C-alpha cells in the first residue's frame, strides 16, 4: 500500500512540470507591441513572474540608429574594457568536476571589434559581459545615446536600476544556466540575443551539484588552463621572495682620519622592504674591514627593488664621512640565484666592497598588488592601540611615545592616561610596535606585529620592570582593500561622461558658427581647448576680455576645455562660482573684476586683517594641514581680489559641468623638490580639475575634495575638510617657493634664458634605471660646490601639502611605461628611491618657473585635442613661452607643431598666428594669440577706425620694463583696466575669420582621423 502511494506521488511529481506548463506557462513568450504602463507591467508581468518581449519601447534611443561597429570603434575604440575570455565561449560553466569562470582581460574595445570582425586573432572567445554597471564606469561616452533607466519599469519596481550593463559578443559566447536575483530588462540594441527560459516548476528537476570553483588562466602560449580559486588567491601576483644580503668585507678603503685608518661600517637601504636603514657593526682602524654580516629582506619581484649600500667612516665629533656608495638593482637576480658581487670604484679594483646576494622564492607568502604599470599599491595592516591608566597615577607626569617604523603615522606621543592610536603600515613588512617612557628610554615594550593574531584583542601591561602604568590593548586588522587613489592613465569616468554631454553642446555651436548643412556625427565633433598662460592681474583681466569676445562670436560653446596657470586661474575660479557663467552676458562679472583690480590693496596688510589671517591659519593647521608661507599668500591674494572670504571649493565647480553647459576647467601647478635641485632639474606637472587632482606622469589621481587629506599606499588614512579654493589659487600662483637659482633664471635676458634652459635640458640624466651605480664621495672642492648648490636651490618658503602618492612603490617596468616615458624629464626619474612617492609632502608652485603655459593637460593623447587656442600674456616676447613648450615637446616625443615664426613675425608679431604640422596628424593645431597692440591702435572695433579723440584709448603700454601691467603691479588704474579689456576683446573679434577657418580645419581633421581609424 505504501509503495503504491509512493509511486503515485513520484508519478505526480514527474507529471507536475507538464501540468504546470499547460496551466500557466504559454508555449511561446508573448510579444507586446508597445511599452506597457507601470501598472500593467507590474500587474501582468512582474507579480506573476512571467517573461515578455516588448517591441517599439526604445525607438527614441539614439543608440538604435547609432550603434554599429564603426560607430563604437570611432567613439570608444580607444577605451579599455573588461573582457571575459574562454576557450569555447562558455562562461561560468561546469567543466568536469570544476565550475570554471572566464579569464578576464582589459583590452581596447577597438581590438575586441577587430576580433569580432575577423581582422585580428585572439585565443578563445571574447565576451564583454562585466557586471556591476560597466556601462557608466567603463563606457560613459555612450551614455548620451540612451536613457539611464527605463522610466515605466523604474516606476513599476519602485527603484532605479541596481546596475546598467553593456554586453557585446559573438554567437559562440554563451552564459550557462543560472538564476538571477534581479528583475532583468535586456535591451537589444543591435544583433540578437537568445534565451532559454525555465519556469519555476522545472527547478526540482534541474540537476544540482557542488563544484570546486576555478578560473581560466590564459598562458603566454595562448592556451587555457584551469586554476582552482584557492590557488588563484595565492597566484594573484606571484613573486614574493626572501633576499639575503651578506656584507663580507672591503679592500683598500681610503683613510678619512688624519692619523689612523678609517672606522668603517656599511648601511643597507631597500625602501620596498623596510622603512629604515640597516647597519653593520663598525670595524675600527682598518682599510680592509671584515664584517661578514647577513641581512634579510622580504621583497616582491613585481616591484623595482633598488638597494643602496653605503660605506661610512665613523667619527665621534663630526658627521660620518662617506667612503663608497652603491646602487644595486635586485631585479638582476634570478630566483634561486646565489651571487658574489664585488663593487669597485675603478677598473683596477683596489678599492672595493664585496657582498653576497641570495634570492629565494617564498611559496607560502602571497600578496595582492594593485598597479597601473607605473606605481604599485600593496596590502596594508592597521594596528589599533588603546592605552588605559592602571591604578591611582595622579602624580605621574610621564609621557609615552609609540612608534611603528615605516607606518604612515610616525611617532605618536601622549601623557600617561587614556589614549587611542592607529598605525597603518605595509602588511608584508616585519614591523614592530615600540612603546617607551619619554623620561626613561630604557623602559621599552616591543611587540612584533607578525606575532599578533588578526582581528583579535591582545592585552599587555607596561612597563614590566616596575609598577605598571598602563594597560595596552592591541588589535591588528587588515587595512582597507579599496584604493582611494585612482591608478590609471585615462581621464576619469566623470570626465569622459562630461565630454559626452559637452559634445552635444559643441556640435550645435559648430553647426551654427560654421553654417553646416547637417548635424555633426559623434565622431566628427572636434575637441577644442583654450589654453591661458599666467601673468598675475594682467592674465586674469585679459582672460575676461577674451572669453567675453569668444562668447560674443558664438564660439565659447565650441570649447571643451579651458586650462589656466597662475593669474589666469584666478579668472577661472571666479567665473566657475556661477554654474551658468558661459551662458550669460559677461558684462556683470567684468564690472566686478574692474572693481577688484582698481581698488587700493593696502588694506590687505591692515592690523585687523593680519589678525584674521592668523586666526584662519591657526584653524587650517588645527584641521591637520601643514603650515607653510603659501597659505598666508593665499589669504592675502584672496583679500586683494575679493572683498570677503569665499567658501567656494574646487569640487563645487562640478555643478557647472553637470549638463555640459561650460567647458571643463583644468588648473596647473608644478611639483618640485624642497632643495638640492632647481625647478628645471626636477619639475612634475600636476593638474587640478573639479573631478580630480593628479600627476599624469605617474597615472595617479584623487577626487578633488580629498586633495590635502592624508594618504598612504593609495589608501585614505585621514580625511581633512576640503580647503577653500583660495588656498589652491595660492598654490597655482605660488611665486614664493622659488629657489635663488630659479630667480636667477628669470632675471636673465631672454637670449641668456634660452641658453641656460638648453644647457639644463642637455645635462639632465635621463638614462635607464641603473642596474649598478657606484659613486665615490665628493672631494673637498666637491663639498664646497655642494654647499653653494644647496644654497642656490634651497626653497626657504617651500609649499607643503600632504602627499597622496606617499608610500606607493614602483613597478619593475615603470621606466618603460609609455605615460611615464612621455613625462619623465627630471634628473631623478631613473632613481625610484628618490621620486615623489618617497616624500611626505608635495612642494607645489607656479608653473611659470618652468614654462609659463597650461598646455600639458591638453597634450595627453587620451584627451585627443584637435585645436588649441593659445592665449599668451607674456610681455617678454610673443613666442618665447610657446617655443619653449615646443622644444619641451620635441625632446619628450610629444606630438606638437613646430613653432617657427618668421623673422618679420618675431620683430612685429600679429594678433593671431596659426601653427600646424600636416606631417604629424596626431599633433593639435595651435592658434596663437599673443598680447600685442597692433591694429587696435587704429581701430576701436573690427572695421571701425578711431577718431582723433579716440587715439589715446588705443595706446596700450606693453613694454616689459615699464608697463602698467607688469606682474608686480597689483592695482591698475580704471583707464588701464579698460584698455586691457578692450584690447584683448578686440584681438579676438578682429580674427573671427581665422577662428572660423581653424574650427573648419578641426572638423576636417577629426573626420580624417576617424576615417583613418576605420581603415
Amino acid at each position: 500500500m505504501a509503495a503504491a502511494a509512493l509511486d503515485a506521488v513520484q508519478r505526480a511529481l514527474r507529471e507536475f512540470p507538464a501540468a504546470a506548463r499547460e496551466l500557466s506557462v504559454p508555449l511561446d513568450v508573448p510579444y507586446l507591441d508597445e511599452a506597457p504602463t507601470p501598472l500593467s507591467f507590474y500587474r501582468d508581468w512582474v507579480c506573476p513572474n512571467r517573461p515578455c518581449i516588448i517591441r517599439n519601447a526604445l525607438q527614441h534611443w539614439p543608440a538604435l540608429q547609432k550603434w554599429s561597429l564603426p560607430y563604437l570603434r570611432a567613439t570608444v575604440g580607444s577605451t579599455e574594457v573588461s573582457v571575459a575570455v574562454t576557450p569555447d565561449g562558455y562562461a561560468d560553466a561546469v567543466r568536469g568536476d570544476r565550475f570554471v569562470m572566464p579569464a578576464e582581460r582589459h583590452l581596447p574595445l577597438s581590438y575586441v571589434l577587430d576580433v569580432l570582425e575577423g581582422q585580428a586573432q585572439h585565443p578563445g572567445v571574447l565576451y564583454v559581459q562585466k557586471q556591476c554597471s560597466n556601462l557608466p564606469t567603463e563606457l560613459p561616452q555612450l551614455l548620451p545615446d540612451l536613457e539611464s533607466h527605463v522610466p515605466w519599469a523604474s516606476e513599476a519596481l519602485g527603484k532605479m536600476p541596481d546596475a546598467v550593463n553593456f554586453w557585446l559578443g559573438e554567437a559562440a559566447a554563451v552564459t550557462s544556466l543560472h538564476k538571477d536575483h534581479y528583475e532583468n530588462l535586456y535591451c537589444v540594441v543591435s544583433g540578437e540575443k537568445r534565451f532559454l527560459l525555465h519556469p519555476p516548476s522545472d527547478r526540482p528537476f534541474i540537476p544540482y551539484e557542488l563544484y570546486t570553483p576555478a578560473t581560466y588562466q590564459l598562458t603566454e602560449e595562448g592556451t587555457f588552463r584551469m586554476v582552482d580559486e584557492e590557488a588563484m588567491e595565492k597566484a594573484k601576483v606571484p613573486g614574493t621572495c626572501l633576499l639575503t644580503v651578506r656584507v663580507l668585507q672591503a679592500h683598500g678603503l681610503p683613510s678619512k682620519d688624519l692619523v689612523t685608518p678609517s672606522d668603517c661600517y656599511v648601511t643597507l637601504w631597500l625602501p620596498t622592504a623596510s622603512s629604515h636603514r640597516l647597519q653593520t657593526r663598525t670595524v675600527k682602524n682598518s682599510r680592509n674591514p671584515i664584517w661578514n654580516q647577513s641581512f634579510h629582506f622580504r621583497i616582491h619581484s613585481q616591484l623595482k627593488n633598488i638597494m643602496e649600500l653605503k660605506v661610512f667612516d665613523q667619527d665621534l665629533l663630526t658627521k660620518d664621512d662617506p667612503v663608497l656608495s652603491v646602487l644595486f638593482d635586485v631585479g638582476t637576480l634570478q630566483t634561486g640565484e646565489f651571487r658574489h658581487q664585488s663593487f669597485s670604484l675603478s677598473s683596477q679594483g683596489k678599492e672595493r666592497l664585496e657582498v653576497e646576494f641570495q634570492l629565494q622564492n617564498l611559496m607560502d607568502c602571497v600578496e595582492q598588488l594593485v598597479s597601473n604599470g607605473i606605481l604599485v599599491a600593496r596590502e596594508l595592516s592597521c594596528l589599533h592601540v588603546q592605552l588605559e591608566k592602571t591604578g591611582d597615577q595622579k602624580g605621574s607626569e610621564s609621557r609615552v611615545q609609540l612608534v611603528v617604523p615605516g607606518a604612515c603615522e610616525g611617532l605618536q606621543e601622549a601623557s600617561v592616561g587614556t589614549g587611542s592610536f592607529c598605525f597603518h603600515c605595509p602588511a608584508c613588512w616585519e614591523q614592530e610596535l615600540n612603546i617607551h617612557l619619554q623620561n626613561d628610554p630604557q623602559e621599552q615594550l616591543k611587540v612584533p606585529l607578525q606575532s599578533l593574531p588578526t582581528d583579535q584583542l591582545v592585552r599587555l601591561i607596561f612597563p614590566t620592570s616596575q609598577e605598571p602604568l598602563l594597560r595596552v590593548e592591541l588589535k591588528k586588522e587588515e587595512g582597507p582593500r579599496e584604493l582611494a587613489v585612482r591608478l590609471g592613465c585615462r581621464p576619469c569616468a566623470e570626465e569622459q561622461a562630461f565630454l559626452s554631454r559637452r559634445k552635444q553642446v559643441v556640435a550645435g555651436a559648430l553647426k551654427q558658427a560654421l553654417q553646416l548643412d547637417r548635424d555633426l556625427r559623434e565622431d566628427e565633433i572636434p575637441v577644442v581647448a583654450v589654453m591661458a598662460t599666467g601673468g598675475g592681474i594682467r592674465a586674469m583681466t585679459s582672460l575676461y576680455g577674451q572669453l567675453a569676445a569668444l562668447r560674443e562670436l558664438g564660439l565659447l560653446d565650441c570649447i571643451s576645455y579651458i586650462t589656466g596657470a597662475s593669474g589666469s586661474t584666478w579668472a577661472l575660479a571666479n567665473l566657475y562660482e556661477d554654474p551658468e557663467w558661459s551662458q550669460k552676458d559677461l558684462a556683470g562679472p567684468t564690472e566686478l573684476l574692474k572693481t577688484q583690480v582698481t581698488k587700493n590693496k593696502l588694506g590687505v596688510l591692515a592690523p585687523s586683517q593680519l589678525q584674521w589671517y592668523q586666526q584662519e591659519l591657526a584653524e587650517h593647521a588645527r584641521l591637520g594641514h601643514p603650515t607653510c608661507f603659501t597659505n598666508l599668500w593665499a589669504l592675502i591674494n584672496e583679500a586683494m581680489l575679493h572683498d570677503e572670504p569665499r567658501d567656494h571649493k574646487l569640487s563645487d565647480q562640478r555643478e557647472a559641468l553637470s549638463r555640459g553647459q561650460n567647458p571643463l576647467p583644468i588648473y596647473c601647478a608644478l611639483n618640485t623638490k624642497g632643495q638640492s635641485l632647481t625647478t628645471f632639474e626636477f619639475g612634475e606637472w600636476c593638474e587640478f580639475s573639479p573631478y580630480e587632482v593628479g600627476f599624469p606622469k605617474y597615472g595617479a589621481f584623487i577626487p578633488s575634495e580629498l586633495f590635502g587629506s592624508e594618504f598612504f599606499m593609495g589608501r585614505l588614512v585621514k580625511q581633512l575638510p576640503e580647503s577653500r579654493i583660495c588656498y589652491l589659487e595660492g598654490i597655482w600662483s605660488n611665486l614664493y617657493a622659488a629657489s635663488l637659482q630659479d630667480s636667477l633664471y628669470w632675471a636673465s635676458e631672454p637670449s641668456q634664458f634660452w641658453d641656460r634652459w638648453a644647457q639644463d635640458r642637455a645635462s639632465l640624466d635621463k638614462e635607464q634605471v641603473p642596474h649598478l651605480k657606484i659613486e665615490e664621495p665628493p672631494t673637498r672642492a666637491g663639498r664646497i660646490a655642494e654647499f653653494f648648490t644647496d644654497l642656490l636651490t634651497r626653497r626657504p618658503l617651500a609649499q607643503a601639502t600632504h602627499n597622496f602618492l606617499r608610500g606607493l612603490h614602483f613597478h619593475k617596468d615603470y621606466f618603460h611605461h609609455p605615460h611615464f616615458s612621455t613625462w619623465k624629464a627630471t634628473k631623478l626619474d631613473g632613481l625610484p628611491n628618490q621620486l615623489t612617492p618617497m616624500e611626505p609632502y608635495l612642494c607645489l608652485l607656479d608653473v611659470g618657473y618652468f614654462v609659463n603655459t597650461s598646455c600639458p593637460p591638453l597634450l595627453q593623447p587620451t584627451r585627443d585635442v584637435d585645436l588649441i587656442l593659445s592665449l599668451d600674456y607674456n610681455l617678454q616676447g610673443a613666442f618665447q613661452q610657446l617655443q619653449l613648450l615646443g622644444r619641451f615637446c620635441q625632446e619628450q616625443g610629444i606630438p606638437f607643431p613646430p613653432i617657427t615664426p618668421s623673422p618679420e613675425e618675431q620683430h612685429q608679431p600679429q594678433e593671431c598666428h596659426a601653427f600646424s604640422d600636416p606631417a604629424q596628424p596626431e599633433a593639435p593645431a595651435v592658434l596663437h594669440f599673443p598680447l600685442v597692440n597692433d591694429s587696435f591702435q587704429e581701430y576701436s572695433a573690427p572695421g571701425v577706425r578711431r577718431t582723433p579723440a579716440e587715439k589715446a584709448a588705443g595706446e596700450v603700454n606693453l613694454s616689459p620694463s615699464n608697463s602698467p601691467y607688469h606682474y608686480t603691479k597689483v592695482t591698475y588704474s580704471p583707464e588701464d583696466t579698460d584698455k586691457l579689456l578692450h584690447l584683448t576683446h578686440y584681438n579676438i573679434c578682429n580674427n573671427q575669420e581665422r577662428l572660423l577657418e581653424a574650427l573648419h580645419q578641426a572638423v576636417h581633421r577629426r573626420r580624417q582621423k576617424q576615417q583613418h581609424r576605420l581603415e
Side-chain angles (χ1 to χ4, degrees), residues 385 387 398-404 410-416 421 423 433-441 443-446 462 470 472:
V385 183
L387 303 181
S398 298
R399 293 184 66 81
V400 179
Q401 291 184 334
L402 306 89
V403 65
V404 176
L411 179 71
Q412 304 288 303
E413 187 175 306
S415 299
V416 169
F421 307 87
F423 295 92
L433 168 68
N434 295 328
I435 305 177
H436 67 266
L437 297 177
Q438 192 175 24
N439 58 359
D440 189 3
E443 282 292 348
Q444 293 192 37
L445 175 65
K446 294 188 176 183
F462 176 74
L470 296 171
V472 183

Coordinates of all heavy atoms in Angstrom, one line a residue, residues 385 387 398-404 410-416 421 423 433-441 443-446 462 470 472:
V385 N 45.8 50.8 18.9 CA 46.4 50.7 20.2 C 45.5 51.6 21.1 O 45.2 52.7 20.9 CB 47.8 51.3 20.1 CG1 48.5 51.2 21.5 CG2 48.6 50.6 19.1
L387 N 45.4 52.8 25.2 CA 46.1 52.9 26.4 C 45.2 53.3 27.5 O 44.4 54.3 27.4 CB 47.3 54.0 26.3 CG 48.3 53.8 25.2 CD1 49.3 54.9 25.2 CD2 49.0 52.4 25.3
S398 N 54.6 61.3 33.5 CA 55.3 60.7 32.4 C 54.6 60.8 31.1 O 53.3 60.8 31.1 CB 55.6 59.2 32.8 OG 56.4 59.1 33.9
R399 N 55.3 60.8 30.0 CA 54.7 60.8 28.7 C 55.2 59.5 28.0 O 56.3 59.0 28.2 CB 55.1 62.0 27.9 CG 54.6 63.3 28.5 CD 54.9 64.5 27.6 NE 54.2 64.5 26.3 CZ 53.0 64.8 26.1 NH1 52.2 65.2 27.0 NH2 52.5 64.7 24.8
V400 N 54.3 59.0 27.2 CA 54.6 57.8 26.5 C 54.7 58.1 25.0 O 54.0 58.9 24.4 CB 53.4 56.8 26.7 CG1 53.6 55.5 25.9 CG2 53.2 56.5 28.2
Q401 N 55.7 57.4 24.4 CA 55.9 57.5 23.0 C 55.7 56.2 22.3 O 56.1 55.2 22.8 CB 57.4 58.0 22.7 CG 57.6 59.5 23.1 CD 59.0 60.0 22.7 OE1 59.9 59.2 22.6 NE2 59.1 61.3 22.5
L402 N 55.0 56.2 21.2 CA 54.7 55.0 20.4 C 55.1 55.2 19.0 O 54.9 56.3 18.4 CB 53.2 54.7 20.5 CG 52.5 54.5 21.8 CD1 51.9 55.9 22.2 CD2 51.3 53.5 21.7
V403 N 55.7 54.2 18.4 CA 56.1 54.3 17.0 C 56.1 52.9 16.4 O 56.5 51.9 17.1 CB 57.5 54.9 16.9 CG1 58.6 54.1 17.5 CG2 57.8 55.2 15.4
V404 N 55.7 52.8 15.2 CA 55.8 51.6 14.3 C 56.7 52.1 13.1 O 56.2 52.8 12.3 CB 54.5 51.0 13.8 CG1 54.7 49.9 12.9 CG2 53.6 50.6 15.0
G410 N 54.0 57.8 11.9 CA 55.2 58.3 12.5 C 55.1 58.2 14.0 O 54.2 57.4 14.6
L411 N 55.9 58.9 14.7 CA 56.0 58.9 16.2 C 54.7 59.5 16.8 O 54.3 60.6 16.4 CB 57.2 59.6 16.7 CG 57.4 59.7 18.2 CD1 57.8 58.3 18.7 CD2 58.5 60.7 18.5
Q412 N 54.1 58.8 17.7 CA 52.9 59.3 18.5 C 53.3 59.5 19.9 O 54.1 58.7 20.5 CB 51.8 58.3 18.4 CG 51.4 58.0 16.9 CD 50.7 59.1 16.2 OE1 49.7 59.6 16.7 NE2 51.2 59.5 15.1
E413 N 52.8 60.6 20.5 CA 53.1 60.9 21.9 C 51.9 61.3 22.7 O 51.0 61.9 22.2 CB 54.2 62.0 21.9 CG 54.8 62.3 23.3 CD 55.9 63.4 23.2 OE1 56.8 63.2 22.4 OE2 55.7 64.4 23.9
A414 N 51.9 60.9 24.0 CA 50.7 61.2 24.8 C 51.1 61.2 26.3 O 52.1 60.5 26.6 CB 49.5 60.3 24.5
S415 N 50.4 61.9 27.1 CA 50.6 61.7 28.5 C 50.1 60.4 29.0 O 49.2 59.8 28.3 CB 49.8 62.8 29.3 OG 50.3 64.1 28.9
V416 N 50.6 59.9 30.1 CA 50.2 58.7 30.7 C 48.7 58.8 31.0 O 48.3 59.7 31.8 CB 51.0 58.3 31.9 CG1 50.3 57.1 32.6 CG2 52.4 57.9 31.5
F421 N 45.3 55.1 19.5 CA 46.2 55.4 18.3 C 45.9 54.4 17.2 O 45.4 53.3 17.5 CB 47.7 55.4 18.7 CG 48.0 56.3 19.9 CD1 47.9 55.8 21.2 CD2 48.4 57.6 19.7 CE1 48.1 56.6 22.3 CE2 48.7 58.4 20.8 CZ 48.6 57.9 22.1
F423 N 47.9 52.9 13.6 CA 49.1 52.8 12.7 C 48.8 52.0 11.5 O 48.2 50.9 11.5 CB 50.3 52.2 13.4 CG 50.8 53.0 14.6 CD1 50.3 52.7 15.9 CD2 51.7 54.0 14.5 CE1 50.8 53.4 17.0 CE2 52.2 54.7 15.6 CZ 51.7 54.4 16.8
L433 N 55.9 47.3 17.1 CA 55.4 48.4 17.8 C 56.4 48.6 19.0 O 56.7 47.7 19.7 CB 54.0 48.2 18.4 CG 53.5 49.2 19.4 CD1 53.3 50.5 18.8 CD2 52.2 48.7 20.1
N434 N 56.9 49.9 19.1 CA 57.8 50.3 20.2 C 57.0 51.3 21.1 O 56.5 52.3 20.6 CB 59.1 50.9 19.7 CG 59.9 49.9 18.9 OD1 59.9 48.7 19.2 ND2 60.6 50.4 17.9
I435 N 57.0 50.9 22.4 CA 56.4 51.9 23.4 C 57.5 52.1 24.4 O 58.0 51.2 24.9 CB 55.1 51.3 24.0 CG1 54.1 50.9 22.9 CG2 54.5 52.3 25.0 CD1 52.8 50.3 23.5
H436 N 57.7 53.4 24.7 CA 58.7 53.6 25.8 C 58.3 54.9 26.5 O 57.6 55.8 25.9 CB 60.1 53.7 25.3 CG 60.4 54.8 24.4 ND1 60.3 54.7 23.0 CD2 60.8 56.1 24.6 CE1 60.6 55.9 22.5 NE2 60.9 56.7 23.4
L437 N 58.8 55.1 27.8 CA 58.6 56.3 28.5 C 59.6 57.3 28.1 O 60.8 57.0 28.0 CB 58.7 56.0 30.0 CG 57.7 55.0 30.6 CD1 58.0 54.7 32.1 CD2 56.3 55.5 30.5
Q438 N 59.1 58.5 27.9 CA 60.0 59.6 27.4 C 61.1 59.9 28.4 O 62.2 60.2 28.1 CB 59.1 60.8 27.2 CG 59.9 61.9 26.4 CD 59.0 63.1 26.0 OE1 58.0 63.3 26.7 NE2 59.3 63.8 25.0
N439 N 60.8 59.8 29.8 CA 61.8 60.2 30.8 C 62.6 58.9 31.2 O 63.4 59.0 32.1 CB 61.1 60.8 32.0 CG 60.0 59.9 32.6 OD1 59.7 58.9 32.1 ND2 59.4 60.4 33.7
D440 N 62.3 57.8 30.6 CA 63.0 56.6 30.9 C 63.1 55.7 29.7 O 62.4 54.7 29.5 CB 62.3 55.8 32.1 CG 63.2 54.7 32.6 OD1 64.3 54.5 32.1 OD2 62.8 53.9 33.5
P441 N 64.0 56.1 28.7 CA 64.1 55.3 27.4 C 64.4 53.9 27.6 O 64.1 53.1 26.7 CB 65.2 56.1 26.7 CG 65.3 57.4 27.3 CD 64.9 57.2 28.8
E443 N 63.0 51.8 29.6 CA 61.7 51.1 29.7 C 61.0 51.0 28.4 O 60.4 52.0 27.9 CB 60.8 51.7 30.8 CG 61.2 51.5 32.2 CD 61.0 50.0 32.6 OE1 60.4 49.3 31.8 OE2 61.5 49.6 33.6
Q444 N 61.1 49.9 27.7 CA 60.5 49.7 26.4 C 59.7 48.5 26.3 O 59.9 47.5 27.0 CB 61.6 49.7 25.3 CG 62.4 50.9 25.1 CD 63.3 50.9 23.9 OE1 62.8 50.3 22.9 NE2 64.4 51.5 24.0
L445 N 58.6 48.6 25.5 CA 57.8 47.4 25.1 C 57.9 47.3 23.6 O 57.5 48.2 22.9 CB 56.4 47.6 25.6 CG 55.4 46.5 25.2 CD1 55.7 45.2 25.9 CD2 53.9 46.9 25.6
K446 N 58.3 46.1 23.2 CA 58.4 45.9 21.7 C 57.5 44.7 21.4 O 57.7 43.6 22.0 CB 59.9 45.6 21.3 CG 60.8 46.8 21.5 CD 62.2 46.5 20.9 CE 63.1 47.7 21.0 NZ 64.4 47.5 20.3
F462 N 52.3 47.8 30.9 CA 53.6 48.5 30.6 C 53.8 49.6 31.7 O 52.8 50.3 32.1 CB 53.6 49.1 29.2 CG 54.8 50.0 28.9 CD1 56.0 49.4 28.7 CD2 54.7 51.4 29.0 CE1 57.1 50.1 28.4 CE2 55.8 52.1 28.7 CZ 57.0 51.5 28.4
L470 N 50.3 51.4 32.6 CA 49.3 51.4 31.5 C 48.9 50.0 31.2 O 49.7 49.0 31.4 CB 49.9 52.0 30.3 CG 50.3 53.5 30.2 CD1 51.1 53.8 29.0 CD2 49.1 54.3 30.3
V472 N 47.8 48.1 27.9 CA 47.9 48.3 26.5 C 47.0 47.3 25.8 O 47.2 46.1 25.9 CB 49.4 48.2 26.0 CG1 49.5 48.5 24.5 CG2 50.2 49.1 26.8

